[in-house]
Amino acid sequence: FAGSAQSLALAMHVNPWDTQAMTKCIRDCLRMSSEEKQMRDEAAHRYVSTHTARLWGLNFLEDLGAAHPSRAPAAPTPPVSLEAVSTAFSAPSRRRLILLRYEGTIVPYQTIAQLASPPVKVLALLRMLAENP
């Protein structure tokens, strides 16, 4: 309500002028498990502890520098051909190095780190890749 709702993603969001919604929110909070309460509290604490005014200022200055007309935008990473990857992986090798970005590649982007866990199928594929000599 005060503009911080987007920053505290796991907080219970409710319009304080909507008495029915407020009642439901309070009831939901009272019925919430201790584990969920703790996870929400820890996430909020982690956010406010790390997203300080100093960080906001540094990010603002960085964005301002990036917006300067003399700076060219960074080129996106080009897509990799599945055929090229398959050919390279099929070649005999004693060692392999595979670099993957966690969020956005192995798991979808999540506001809360604990929610970003890879599906079982992805873990199985990673294990298969790791075991392949």
Side-chain angles (χ1 to χ4, degrees), residues 17-53:
W17 301 109
D18 183 342
T19 55
Q20 288 182 335
M22 191 66 139
T23 302
K24 181 186 179 314
C25 184
I26 291 170
R27 184 179 58 240
D28 292 347
C29 289
L30 291 171
R31 292 179 178 168
M32 192 181 295
S33 70
S34 297
E35 293 82 14
E36 185 176 352
K37 287 177 189 175
Q38 183 175 354
M39 182 184 77
R40 288 171 178 269
D41 186 51
E42 288 172 357
H45 183 265
R46 207 170 26 258
Y47 186 89
V48 298
S49 297
T50 57
H51 290 75
T52 62

Side-chain angles (χ1 to χ4, degrees), residues 25 44 49 66 69 86-87 98 118 124:
C25 184
S49 297
S86 179
T87 301
I98 301 172

Side-chain angles (χ1 to χ4, degrees), residues 77-109:
T77 304
V80 178
S81 151
L82 183 57
E83 183 180 332
V85 171
S86 179
T87 301
F89 196 79
S90 298
S93 178
R94 289 187 298 139
R95 291 195 252 174
R96 299 182 196 281
L97 173 64
I98 301 172
L99 302 174
L100 300 171
R101 182 181 168 103
Y102 188 72
E103 274 196 309
T105 302
I106 296 177
V107 298
Y109 288 102

